[in-house]
Amino acid sequence: MLCTLCASLNIIELLSDEGESIGKEHQPTFIALTTSAGKGCSLCSLFRATVLDTYQRVMGWSEDNVQNYQDERDSRGTTRFVIRTTAVDLDKNYALFEDGYSGLFYLRRALIDGNSGKDGADDDVDEDQVLPWLSMSASTDVPTRIVGRTIGAHSDFGLGKRWIEECMATHSGCSQASDSELPTRLIDVGLLDGSIEPRLVETKGQQGQYVTLSHCWGASKPPVTDPRTFNTYLQEIPFVSLPRTFQDAITAVRRLGYRYLWIDCFCIIQGDSRDWQIECARMAQTFRQSIVTIAGPAAENTDAGFLRERPAPIVEPCELELQDGNSNVLGTVTISFIDYNDSPLPGPEKDSPLATRAWVLQERLLSPRILYFGSGKMYWECQSVEWYENLLYPWVEIALPTVSKRILSAPLDDYNLRALWYLIVCTYTECRLTDGNDKLPALSGLAYQVQKMNNDTYLAGLWKEDLLTGLTWYTPNQSVHKPKSLRPAEQNAPSWSWAACDDRVLFLNMFSRPKETLRIDLEVTDVQAEAVGYDPYGQVTRGRLKGQGRLKASVIRRFHHRELAVYKLYLCVSGTDHRKLAEYYSDAGEAAFVQDESDTYERNVMALLIGFGQRNRWVGLAMRADEKVPGVYRRLGLIEHTPLDRSERNAALGVLTEEAAQWFDGCEKVQLDIV
């Protein structure tokens, strides 16, 4: 049943620029909306439920508080509810039009005031900017620019198969499907009806097609292939014995029509360091040659699963007739509200546990195509397009994580390829890693792929041809981090590599592109990193950087800036002269660790100049000398002097300019060895 107001609503009229910017006036007050819903109007009931749920989620209120707020807004008499369409830009390679409509906003808008000249446009939306949104899909063969798609309670495997097939058949930018050498081991998933159990198989160089799984181990301890279980799993892996995520992965592979599945903990023999090193070195090949990688972005561990029934709408969807200007019925349109997490723009899973796992970054970027089984919808990413289950056509925006899959297939010059690597490292170091020994192995597949593109020498996460930029890594936001101890260099990485740090890193990117204004001071004569085992891009035991540079004994002190409400570390003139010369970024994050403002921090270091940039900006390393071996040093952090204009806000930090520019004057170059 529809009230008179809703029965007169013509969706086709809303599908216009005016419908998007101004909208269609609806109920004058929330009381009127509630009254109509109480009388049985299904669309008013849907709008009311959407308003209540959205305000509760956005504002953190109870339903009673939302009701009281709406009553207060009604009493002002300055707004009324309007229905506005929401448009998304579409990929013209796939869509019939440049943009289409995916849903509706139901919101308050200021009343049109002829005296003030207000026209009810965007800037007159309700003052608290809460935007209740409903999805919209059409059932008609006539193009209407309604591009939303109704999704069901379960994943649409038919749609997933069509995405795979279309990508393999038509996407020139994606690797084409062909039989390739299979990984060393795979899981034969058995039959869909369960009459044949899954089992582990050794492929022995066979050719074929397979699917890979990207997943989170989390706190759960899944079954694994080890020397004890190896022979048993060659016979069968009982489906009922598997955790939910692995069961769902096997079900998905069966439903998609494939036979083989690669899961790390089954296909790499756990506890066998030799096998792990061999398979880790093959990681790039394993993911790049798979037909598709499947992933459950909301599954925080192997027990969570990702094929669960989706949340039911909090109120029944409303179906309306779709009529043209002559009242001819073209089909139907369905308006739905799932919950607040449903969005007017498509996008990946919010707060995805999978996206925070360090290993997943290279799995995502190396895979030719990924099919995500989200908690609310399926979505897809390949090197050509992003698809979402709730849209008929691809959206042109790249809404997936920071580094796009498309970038690895794009032609890049040396400078942009290096910039890509630093972006990958910055993104990677924000992710979680359970085992510190995996710091370089979890990125080795990407390092191998980038090396094929730049033909450079890889050194514990850095590139020899751009070594100076690689050395300028630093840990930002030290005022909000607790201190983190550096792992011993002998275990995971030399101190000059970002892999020796357990924190998020950024790069100054000062020396990547040579310019006349740069003056390089540090002369690197030799640099080496010793890899462990079979993977030259994986774990290292030690590394050395030999060169000639200017060293100066310096003092680092911590200062509290009341104006900026942060603690910062600075290189000072001396232990008694606390004037600041340059900012210091500690690799261990000491700046944050203070009990109170009276705490002092002072550290003696050896400052090594790397080089100068524009306006006498300079960058160097803070190091400490080895107590037993003369001429050997370990990195402690990065030092950066940036000349400041006194008009700038940061000039309040009081950094000296002229004295800092001359800090290394008179220092002779010495031989040094950084480990």
Side-chain angles (χ1 to χ4, degrees), residues 26 265 416 503:
H26 198 244
C265 60
N416 285 300
D503 210 338

Side-chain angles (χ1 to χ4, degrees), residues 164 168 189-190 209-211 253-254 256-260 291-292:
I164 296 172
M168 293 191 299
V189 299
Q209 297 180 347
Y210 62 96
V211 176
V253 173
R254 289 170 171 175
L256 292 171
Y258 294 98
R259 179 177 178 181
Y260 294 119
I291 286 295
V292 65

Side-chain angles (χ1 to χ4, degrees), residues 326-458:
N326 297 318
S327 298
N328 297 315
V329 177
L330 306 177
T332 59
V333 60
T334 301
I335 301 173
S336 309
F337 177 72
I338 305 299
D339 64 20
Y340 167 69
N341 288 321
D342 210 10
S343 168
L345 296 177
E349 190 84 23
K350 293 181 179 179
D351 303 319
S352 163
L354 190 70
T356 65
R357 178 176 172 255
W359 280 94
V360 167
L361 179 64
Q362 75 168 0
E363 293 169 3
R364 173 182 157 258
L365 292 178
L366 292 172
S367 301
R369 46 193 74 86
I370 308 179
L371 178 59
Y372 296 93
F373 293 91
S375 57
K377 60 178 177 289
M378 290 191 318
Y379 52 101
W380 166 276
E381 185 186 19
C382 64
Q383 292 176 332
S384 300
V385 73
E386 290 85 34
W387 275 311
Y388 294 89
E389 188 179 1
N390 60 338
L391 276 186
L392 295 174
Y393 306 104
W395 185 40
V396 297
E397 298 292 334
I398 299 174
L400 287 151
T402 307
V403 186
S404 168
K405 282 182 62 62
R406 304 187 191 192
I407 198 71
L408 285 179
S409 60
L412 298 173
D413 60 22
D414 287 345
Y415 174 78
N416 285 300
L417 189 55
R418 291 166 182 168
L420 169 62
W421 176 255
Y422 298 130
L423 176 60
I424 287 173
V425 171
C426 294
T427 303
Y428 173 74
T429 56
E430 290 189 83
C431 299
R432 296 197 307 267
L433 195 64
T434 304
D435 186 348
N437 289 318
D438 291 346
K439 194 67 171 282
L440 290 170
L443 206 61
S444 64
L446 279 173
Y448 167 75
Q449 192 64 28
V450 171
Q451 196 279 332
K452 290 201 306 181
M453 301 165 71
N454 68 10
N455 199 30
D456 199 351
T457 302
Y458 185 71

Side-chain angles (χ1 to χ4, degrees), residues 49-104:
T50 302
V51 170
L52 287 173
D53 185 80
T54 304
Y55 273 83
Q56 287 179 69
R57 298 290 292 274
V58 173
M59 308 301 288
W61 293 343
S62 67
E63 182 173 334
D64 287 343
N65 287 338
V66 176
Q67 180 71 58
N68 293 335
Y69 173 79
Q70 296 296 337
D71 290 345
E72 190 272 332
R73 294 306 307 275
D74 286 351
S75 67
R76 296 187 200 176
T78 58
T79 61
R80 72 174 299 145
F81 286 98
V82 296
I83 304 169
R84 273 187 14 203
T85 52
T86 57
V88 293
D89 294 328
L90 303 174
D91 190 328
K92 290 182 289 185
N93 294 318
Y94 300 89
L96 301 174
F97 17 75
E98 293 185 358
D99 58 13
Y101 297 99
S102 60
L104 305 169

Side-chain angles (χ1 to χ4, degrees), residues 146-164:
I146 297 176
V147 297
R149 184 204 305 268
T150 300
I151 58 177
H154 301 280
S155 299
D156 187 344
F157 284 98
L159 178 63
K161 290 179 67 173
R162 291 197 297 274
W163 285 345
I164 296 172

